[in-house]
Amino acid sequence: MKRIGSEGLIYAFSPANEPVASVELDETFLVECPDCYSGQIRSENVLRPQIDTTIMDASTGPIAVRGVKAGEAIKVRIHDLFLDSQGVMVTSPGLGSRGDLIEEAETKIIPLCRGEALFSETLRLPLAPMIGVLGVSPAKGSVHCAVPGDHGGNMDTKDVRPGNSVYFPVFVDGANLALGDFHACMGDGELSGTGIEIAGEALLSVSKAPGLSLALPVIETPRSFMIVASEESFDACSKRAVKESVEMIADFRRLSTPDAYRLLSATCDLRISQIVNEKITLRMVIPKTVMAELPRSV
Ligand code: CA
Ligand code: ZN
């Protein structure tokens, strides 16, 4: 099996980045990724204010997918995530949703043992491995790996995990996928500014999603589609998620806008993904009983 090592890293998603590897459609491949600190914090003596934040969320890639063209859409299947033996959580004044509660920077190393994270001597947490940064190259410009957007990137959405898939619009030939920033577990919101940050390897495959014209990433779980929107404010983000979702539901069920709007309101959940990045991320959960498939243009 092809294994793509973490020697080739990007710090921003951009069409200027040359691919470090390429894969075939439907090929299963393994990608090695650093943690969100690029491995700078390996002991409790290293504090968040001491590290180089410009290289945070460095992502392995770009990985070109052969035969994929700009204007198409891809489906990235997450088959498995293999985590390192220890994760880290930092707190620091100003970091996260209420960084004013924190007076002194502190680093906690969190070992993993037999499917659990050893949060403290008395508290073990079940692992819920997920990918924080997963995205494709934007059409132009450059987006730092710490920032989410229509290309994906730092979405910090806990449903980006094994068993689920993520659809992306493709802006450049080959899609130029990159990923990193794994979490051993994280709650909705990523409230202190971090999950249990950890390095690891992801087992992925990519297929084409013919006929899809997507504006932003969509996660598929066994029971739902999740429309993932990232914007600068909660207001703009929720409005975007609602509009895109109403259009998709109307399209799939051939409903008028008012009918689709009512159906959305009666059945869909708007959930918080993260509120701590430069843009916040929300996801609209559309049950498959409402929208069995993503709408395809013929
Ligand atoms: Ca992140
Ligand atoms: Zn992270």
Side-chain angles (χ1 to χ4, degrees):
M1 195 193 325
K2 187 172 289 171
R3 184 173 176 283
I4 300 165
S6 61
E7 310 81 50
L9 291 176
I10 58 167
Y11 302 96
F13 285 85
S14 162
N17 297 325
E18 287 296 325
V20 293
S22 62
V23 295
E24 303 293 335
L25 280 166
D26 301 314
E27 176 183 0
T28 304
F29 57 98
L30 202 54
V31 188
E32 180 191 35
C33 298
D35 69 19
C36 71
Y37 306 115
S38 305
Q40 295 178 92
I41 306 181
R42 294 193 198 277
S43 90
E44 296 191 342
N45 300 322
V46 183
L47 302 176
R48 174 66 160 66
Q50 299 166 341
I51 64 166
D52 179 357
T53 53
T54 62
I55 61 167
M56 272 187 61
D57 292 307
S59 299
T60 304
I63 302 161
V65 186
R66 286 201 193 99
V68 169
K69 295 267 171 278
E72 297 181 327
I74 53 168
K75 175 179 186 174
V76 180
R77 284 190 174 81
I78 305 165
H79 300 283
D80 215 340
L81 284 185
F82 306 100
L83 303 179
D84 206 350
S85 57
Q86 70 171 33
V88 61
M89 290 191 87
V90 301
T91 38
S92 191
L95 188 67
S97 61
R98 284 303 302 264
D100 58 310
L101 299 175
I102 301 299
E103 285 173 1
E104 256 182 88
E106 209 174 21
T107 293
K108 286 273 176 209
I109 296 291
I110 301 179
L112 267 47
C113 182
R114 285 187 232 115
E116 292 177 313
L118 310 186
F119 187 79
S120 70
E121 274 175 22
T122 52
L123 189 56
R124 291 164 177 253
L125 308 177
L127 301 183
M130 54 158 283
I131 302 178
V133 177
L134 178 64
V136 296
S137 170
K140 55 183 165 53
S142 171
V143 187
H144 194 279
C145 288
V147 181
D150 294 354
H151 69 295
N154 195 15
M155 297 184 285
D156 285 322
T157 298
K158 67 185 188 183
D159 299 293
V160 180
R161 64 172 170 81
N164 294 343
S165 301
V166 190
Y167 296 83
F168 289 100
V170 174
F171 303 104
V172 303
D173 291 350
N176 287 2
L177 194 70
L179 57 146
D181 180 32
F182 298 172
H183 301 155
C185 56
M186 188 197 92
D188 277 340
E190 201 179 17
L191 300 167
S192 81
T194 86
I196 299 183
E197 304 295 332
I198 194 159
E201 297 187 353
L203 188 66
L204 307 176
S205 65
V206 181
S207 53
K208 279 201 206 193
L212 284 194
S213 64
L214 293 177
L216 32 63
V218 176
I219 299 168
E220 181 176 5
T221 79
R223 288 164 183 267
S224 62
F225 287 99
M226 300 177 172
I227 316 307
V228 184
S230 299
E231 297 289 344
E232 263 137 45
S233 69
F234 182 87
D235 197 39
C237 200
S238 59
K239 284 183 167 153
R240 178 96 195 275
V242 169
K243 181 164 184 285
E244 298 285 349
S245 302
V246 166
E247 283 173 4
M248 277 192 200
I249 292 169
D251 210 4
F252 177 76
R253 298 202 79 100
R254 305 196 179 284
L255 294 174
S256 67
T257 299
D259 275 336
Y261 194 29
R262 280 190 287 270
L263 184 55
L264 170 100
S265 192
T267 61
C268 299
D269 294 321
L270 179 63
R271 288 195 192 139
I272 290 170
S273 289
Q274 60 76 24
I275 57 166
V276 293
N277 295 334
E278 201 175 300
K279 290 181 173 181
I280 70 153
T281 303
L282 303 174
R283 63 199 186 284
M284 183 68 75
V285 184
I286 307 177
K288 284 185 175 171
T289 48
V290 170
M291 187 173 77
E293 289 169 32
L294 292 175
R296 285 165 203 264
S297 49
V298 247

